[in-house]
Amino acid sequence: MLVYNATKQQFIDDVRANIIADAIQNEVARKLNRNSPRNEVKSWECSLRFMMSALLDEGIPASAGVAIEYNIPLTNRRVDFILTGKNHQRDDVAVIVELKQWQFVEVTKKDAIVRTQLGGSVRETNHPSYQAWSYSALIADYNETVRSESIRLVPCAYLHNMKQADEINDPCYEPHTSLAPVFISPDALKLSEFLSKHIKYGDSNGIMYRIEHGVIKPSKNLADALASMMQGNAEFLMIDEQKLVYETAIDLAHRAGSENKKCLIVKGGPGTGKSVVAINLLVELTKREMMTQYVSRNSAPREVFKKKLTGTSKKTHIDNLFKGSGSYVNAKPDTFHVLIVDEAHRLNEKSGMYQNLGESQIKEVITASRLSIFFIDEAQRVTLKDVGTVEEIRRRAAECGADVQELELASQFRCNGSDGYLAWLDNALQIRTTTNIDLSDIDYEFQVFDDPSAMRRAIIEKNRKTNKARMVAGYCWPWASKKDKHAMDIVLPEHGFEAQWNLDDDGMLWAIAEDSVDQIGCIHTCQGLEFDYVGVIIGEDFVIRGGRVVTDAGKRAEQDRSVRGYKKMFKEQPENARVLADQIIKNTYRTLMTRGQKGCYVYATDLETREYFSAFVRSQEATEPLDVAEDTGTLDDLHLPIMTRDEVVPFERHVPVYDLSIAAGEFGEMQIANAEYWVELPDFMRVSPDLFVSRVVGESMNRRIPNGAWCLFRANPGGTRQGKVVVVQHRAIEDPDHGGSFTIKLYQSEKIEEYGELMNKRIVLKPQTNAFGYKDIVLEEELDDLKVIGEFLSVL
């Protein structure tokens, strides 16, 4: 996703006109569904003015491309600035510029780590050369178009407020500055020379558009890469906080001792790379001949890792690397150099089959090691016995005399790198209130099914190629097949659906077993693992009533260990029991619904719950053209309350449904206000007099808008249209889908200055499609006659 895309000349014009920050801020709000803090806006205003000065070099062509805030595929990382064009050999080139407002840095002994002023204090962070290089490497790694079309990526960094270069160019950082040179304030002319050296000719074939819409390679699976990693191969590129956590842990491991115990707490949500960093540390510290073990309470990831390593190492060696969290009850103090605890939120108070051994698993880990590392996400505590919290680790570390350091992982590699999906999910599950109230502009496949059999067929189809799609469910059905291999566990007779929980034969290896796609997994067999696609059955323990989530631990199967002890707790402390069980159930579905890297499919047994989730998404299938059903007064496939003009108070809760095919001439608020049919928007959408709903027919925008989708628009939008999807009308337009004089396309314009004002010189209306035969619509004459009817807001 791109926030801003223009030519060099247009970028310079926007900076000179003092509108660049506003343009970016508006697009961040529209595309990323968030407001920009004042300090972020100020950084754009400052840094982009410096970049404008660097681009004034006449050796850099005016038609070079400028892209700002490019989101790297499958992550939540954004590149500050990209300049595109062709080099002297006419190869396609994209120069990646990491912009920093730092005024100083301090050298550290950690690889690619510096200290500088961040967030009100001096902190450690990545060297900007490493950051720029790692971003370019990620783009090349994930974007097949960049590789197949030989688009050259050239990284660099620009610290425009820094006056002295000694520390930032310290010889210890040479391996990184040699890959991505760093420029400071006195180097402004050198930066211009660097840019003109790599960008000799303009961007004549949409380099950034091809990168943005390139073929994306799925992110790697940790279990599949494990054997290669154990042989010392760098399978995963660590960026930003991941690199900082890794280097900090290596440094602490060398400094920790019997009289100088260390404890590192690493917080991070689903897919932030906790397990990737943990395994990388296990490999590196073992290579450095430090006694190190990977520890987890849940046996599923351990067993999968061991299975993947079978045949590559001796069983005793593998078993010595991966241990359960109850293994240290009788361990002597400081037996290990390092113990790495993954999924630390799942730790129990005591160990043993009856959980009656020892004092505290957390304390036992800290006692048994010189350095203990806890990777934790408190929002993934899914049983009443989970005691792994940051506060509890701090308390136990203090008892053991261990110094505690805390870091946090934010770089997102699950759910297509979409923090937006995770924030929406938290909002939808009503775990916490977020600004992500819908799934618009979220590059993640989320579908709701009315039939579990249809969802199973979809998962089986996704599983055919890579064996990385599975179905899971809330533990609301007894495990009958544990005793009777022929019994069915999850039975939904109204849909003719029957399935078994994962069999004892596969056990914790269900997630990778060859023939297990027909079986249903639960939280105990999938937490800590990942798939490409996950299908989730939501049981009666989580339902929606009147728009609110209602949870009921009593609906869980008696065999479910996650709520064992709830009845006793409810008798003794009913309110506390309800709150804790509510948190456990919500956390369970949050964890299940974030196991898929590329998509999540959902079926809820409760109808109102299905309708709740369906309101956030639209059908993936193409729908028929606009058709009013005379007998019901509803509009086909528009699954929202529909009323006639006489039944509503306009724009209080309802907005008009408008047929764009009659949007001719004086299209305006009065015209849409007189529409015959009106739709009631969901509660989370704010109604205003400039909104209307219409159906989009055709494939020319199918990357954003599926054929036949009902969409929400804002009529007569003001401000800049650059980079927005808009409905426009012009006599020279003949839309390829319907032949009309209006069309829905991505709007781009080139401006020139005349008599002190910026005027449109050329307008390009771009399709965003996977289909063939669609071309840019280019307007160069009678531009004043172009009418922007509306701005696309979201698919309903």
Side-chain angles (χ1 to χ4, degrees):
M1 181 186 297
L2 266 178
V3 171
Y4 178 94
N5 194 19
T7 64
K8 164 194 158 177
Q9 188 57 53
Q10 183 176 343
F11 166 72
I12 290 174
D13 292 342
D14 287 348
V15 174
R16 290 177 60 195
N18 292 324
I19 63 172
I20 188 68
D22 289 340
I24 297 173
Q25 187 176 8
N26 290 338
E27 290 306 289
V28 167
R30 190 174 72 89
K31 292 184 177 180
L32 305 180
N33 283 321
R34 69 171 178 83
N35 294 321
S36 302
R38 179 58 193 155
N39 61 339
E40 186 177 33
V41 176
K42 289 177 67 177
S43 72
W44 292 327
E45 292 172 342
C46 177
S47 295
L48 296 180
R49 193 163 292 278
F50 279 99
M51 279 308 304
M52 180 200 74
S53 297
L55 295 184
L56 290 176
D57 189 316
E58 293 183 357
I60 304 170
S63 57
V66 169
I68 297 173
E69 299 283 343
Y70 167 64
N71 192 95
I72 301 174
L74 305 178
T75 79
N76 65 351
R77 300 292 91 182
R78 300 204 307 277
V79 177
D80 292 334
F81 193 96
I82 301 178
L83 184 70
T84 56
K86 296 178 182 293
N87 62 16
H88 287 72
Q89 292 77 39
R90 295 192 180 274
D91 300 320
D92 289 341
V93 176
V95 180
I96 292 170
V97 186
E98 181 64 26
L99 296 169
K100 299 295 185 188
Q101 298 200 67
W102 303 350
Q103 295 182 346
F104 73 93
V105 297
E106 297 172 0
V107 178
T108 75
K109 295 181 180 180
K110 300 175 185 176
D111 180 55
I113 303 297
V114 298
R115 286 170 56 84
T116 190
Q117 185 79 21
L118 289 174
S121 63
V122 177
R123 301 179 183 179
E124 291 184 340
T125 188
N126 289 184
H127 190 290
S129 291
Y130 177 87
Q131 189 174 355
W133 170 82
S134 66
Y135 285 2
S136 68
L138 275 179
I139 295 171
D141 191 24
Y142 287 153
N143 195 307
E144 291 185 7
T145 300
V146 170
R147 298 192 304 277
S148 63
E149 298 183 10
S150 300
I151 299 174
R152 296 189 58 192
L153 303 179
V154 180
C156 68
Y158 186 24
L159 284 61
H160 50 75
N161 290 337
M162 189 173 293
K163 304 298 183 183
Q164 297 294 330
D166 293 347
E167 287 78 12
I168 200 68
N169 279 313
D170 188 272
C172 72
Y173 299 125
E174 195 275 336
H176 308 293
T177 56
S178 63
L179 295 173
V182 58
F183 300 93
I184 64 170
S185 180
D187 297 331
L189 294 180
K190 291 181 181 179
L191 174 61
S192 294
E193 292 173 6
F194 179 83
L195 296 175
S196 62
K197 172 186 173 182
H198 291 284
I199 306 294
K200 172 67 174 177
Y201 304 102
D203 185 351
S204 59
N205 53 356
I207 296 171
M208 205 62 225
Y209 181 86
R210 285 152 52 210
I211 292 176
E212 183 184 13
H213 300 291
V215 178
I216 304 303
K217 183 180 74 173
S219 50
K220 296 174 183 175
N221 183 283
L222 176 59
D224 290 344
L226 188 60
S228 177
M229 293 170 68
M230 296 299 288
Q231 295 169 4
N233 297 319
E235 290 287 332
F236 291 87
L237 179 68
M238 286 179 286
I239 64 170
D240 297 348
E241 303 92 349
Q242 295 168 334
K243 176 69 171 173
L244 179 59
V245 168
Y246 177 83
E247 294 297 336
T248 299
I250 296 292
D251 179 64
L252 290 174
H254 284 285
R255 292 196 289 116
S258 299
E259 304 300 323
N260 187 27
K261 276 184 175 291
K262 303 291 183 182
C263 176
L264 178 61
I265 301 173
V266 183
K267 296 173 281 188
T272 50
K274 297 188 299 296
S275 296
V276 166
V277 177
I279 294 296
N280 270 286
L281 285 171
L282 174 67
V283 172
E284 180 62 26
L285 294 170
T286 301
K287 189 193 306 181
R288 298 190 185 200
E289 299 183 348
M290 293 185 177
M291 187 65 173
T292 306
Q293 290 184 340
Y294 171 98
V295 183
S296 70
R297 164 69 181 84
N298 189 7
S299 62
R302 291 201 316 274
E303 294 307 312
V304 168
F305 293 161
K306 288 181 182 180
K307 178 69 174 179
K308 290 290 184 178
L309 287 173
T310 300
T312 65
S313 304
K314 293 182 179 179
K315 186 178 186 302
T316 53
H317 176 65
I318 296 172
D319 287 342
N320 281 333
L321 290 176
F322 300 93
K323 293 291 184 180
S325 57
S327 304
Y328 307 98
V329 174
N330 299 315
K332 294 181 180 179
D334 304 317
T335 301
F336 302 92
H337 286 96
V338 185
L339 289 179
I340 303 167
V341 185
D342 203 0
E343 307 281 328
H345 39 270
R346 292 299 318 277
L347 293 175
N348 288 167
E349 186 69 25
K350 296 189 177 183
S351 301
M353 180 177 295
Y354 302 103
Q355 297 192 338
N356 60 346
L357 302 178
E359 177 187 353
S360 160
Q361 287 188 347
I362 295 174
K363 186 175 182 178
E364 289 155 13
V365 165
I366 297 173
T367 300
S369 60
R370 299 174 187 176
L371 168 64
S372 52
I373 306 173
F374 296 90
F375 290 89
I376 188 168
D377 177 11
E378 292 182 357
Q380 289 194 58
R381 295 170 63 206
V382 294
T383 82
L384 294 177
K385 294 182 188 246
D386 292 350
V387 299
T389 66
V390 172
E391 184 56 40
E392 180 65 9
I393 296 172
R394 288 185 194 133
R395 186 171 74 86
R396 294 297 185 177
E399 290 179 4
C400 299
D403 295 330
V404 176
Q405 187 168 344
E406 297 181 29
L407 293 173
E408 188 161 359
L409 290 170
S411 302
Q412 176 57 240
F413 283 86
R414 183 167 295 145
C415 305
N416 267 7
S418 177
D419 279 341
Y421 172 73
L422 296 175
W424 167 80
L425 187 60
D426 282 352
N427 197 74
L429 296 177
Q430 297 176 19
I431 293 174
R432 64 186 178 98
T433 301
T434 73
T435 58
N436 296 77
I437 57 177
D438 60 39
L439 286 161
S440 61
D441 293 318
I442 291 176
D443 184 21
Y444 185 72
E445 187 177 348
F446 184 83
Q447 290 193 50
V448 179
F449 287 78
D450 290 323
D451 182 347
S453 298
M455 184 172 79
R456 175 161 57 185
R457 289 193 296 271
I459 288 293
I460 290 173
E461 183 61 33
K462 292 293 186 184
N463 188 64
R464 291 189 193 282
K465 289 185 179 180
T466 60
N467 191 35
K468 289 185 175 63
R470 290 294 185 274
M471 289 181 64
V472 296
Y475 209 155
C476 299
W477 292 268
W479 193 2
S481 62
K482 184 174 178 64
K483 295 182 179 179
D484 180 359
K485 297 293 185 184
H486 301 289
M488 289 294 158
D489 302 308
I490 302 176
V491 180
L492 304 170
E494 66 272 28
H495 296 289
F497 180 88
E498 294 182 340
Q500 292 181 322
W501 289 114
N502 55 278
L503 303 179
D504 265 348
D505 297 343
D506 296 326
M508 292 301 174
L509 294 176
W510 159 82
I512 59 172
E514 289 295 330
D515 301 317
S516 65
V517 68
D518 288 324
Q519 302 162 17
I520 310 294
C522 68
I523 188 64
H524 307 298
T525 52
C526 74
Q527 190 172 24
L529 298 171
E530 58 192 18
F531 311 104
D532 284 349
Y533 289 88
V534 64
V536 181
I537 299 177
I538 300 176
E540 296 294 326
D541 59 339
F542 181 103
V543 298
I544 300 295
R545 293 294 178 261
R548 303 303 303 168
V549 171
V550 178
T551 59
D552 185 354
K555 298 295 184 181
R556 290 283 185 94
E558 289 186 3
Q559 293 141 309
D560 181 20
R561 300 187 304 274
S562 63
V563 291
R564 187 163 294 173
Y566 171 74
K567 292 181 179 178
K568 179 182 177 183
M569 184 185 296
F570 185 79
K571 289 180 180 178
E572 297 172 353
Q573 298 176 299
E575 187 55 35
N576 183 55
R578 285 194 196 95
V579 171
L580 189 54
D582 179 74
Q583 183 185 59
I584 293 301
I585 292 170
K586 289 177 179 178
N587 285 353
T588 297
Y589 284 111
R590 181 183 190 264
T591 302
L592 295 179
M593 294 169 75
T594 55
R595 293 307 90 192
Q597 290 183 301
K598 300 174 70 176
C600 174
Y601 300 160
V602 169
Y603 169 78
T605 56
D606 176 71
L607 176 60
E608 189 174 343
T609 307
R610 284 203 305 276
E611 292 175 343
Y612 171 78
F613 283 106
S614 294
F616 292 105
V617 295
R618 43 82 188 151
S619 170
Q620 297 292 315
E621 300 176 356
T623 52
E624 297 299 321
L626 182 65
D627 182 32
V628 178
E630 296 180 1
D631 57 338
T632 63
T634 62
L635 303 177
D636 282 355
D637 302 311
L638 181 52
H639 302 296
L640 292 172
I642 305 292
M643 305 180 77
T644 64
R645 174 67 178 80
D646 296 333
E647 298 173 309
V648 300
V649 178
F651 305 111
E652 287 196 1
R653 295 192 64 187
H654 297 79
V655 298
V657 181
Y658 198 74
D659 186 352
L660 283 175
S661 65
I662 61 171
E666 298 300 320
F667 181 93
E669 293 180 9
M670 183 59 68
Q671 199 168 356
I672 61 175
N674 290 324
E676 181 177 0
Y677 290 96
W678 293 66
V679 63
E680 182 178 335
L681 294 182
D683 291 339
F684 58 81
M685 289 186 172
R686 182 178 298 176
V687 175
S688 63
D690 54 356
L691 299 183
F692 69 93
V693 171
S694 188
R695 170 175 272 168
V696 175
V697 178
E699 300 289 349
S700 68
M701 293 297 292
N702 63 20
R703 286 183 184 272
R704 295 282 296 274
I705 308 173
N707 182 12
W710 288 99
C711 301
L712 185 66
F713 294 87
R714 173 170 286 115
N716 304 319
T720 179
R721 287 83 179 256
Q722 186 71 16
K724 295 180 178 180
V725 175
V726 293
V727 186
V728 299
Q729 188 173 36
H730 191 279
R731 71 180 87 185
I733 290 175
E734 184 173 344
D735 188 272
D737 286 312
H738 53 68
S741 64
F742 69 95
T743 190
I744 300 176
K745 296 289 182 289
L746 182 73
Y747 181 103
Q748 291 187 346
S749 67
E750 298 176 10
K751 299 180 183 293
I752 60 174
E753 187 172 341
E754 291 184 358
Y755 307 108
E757 293 186 11
L758 292 176
M759 308 288 292
N760 282 328
K761 176 184 177 183
R762 186 170 180 260
I763 293 175
V764 181
L765 305 172
K766 289 182 169 291
Q768 293 184 300
T769 180
N770 295 318
F772 294 103
Y774 291 94
K775 299 180 179 179
D776 292 352
I777 298 174
V778 181
L779 301 174
E780 295 180 328
E781 298 180 358
E782 298 178 320
L783 299 183
D784 290 341
D785 292 339
L786 183 77
K787 183 181 291 292
V788 179
I789 294 172
E791 176 190 353
F792 165 76
L793 298 180
S794 68
V795 171
L796 295 175

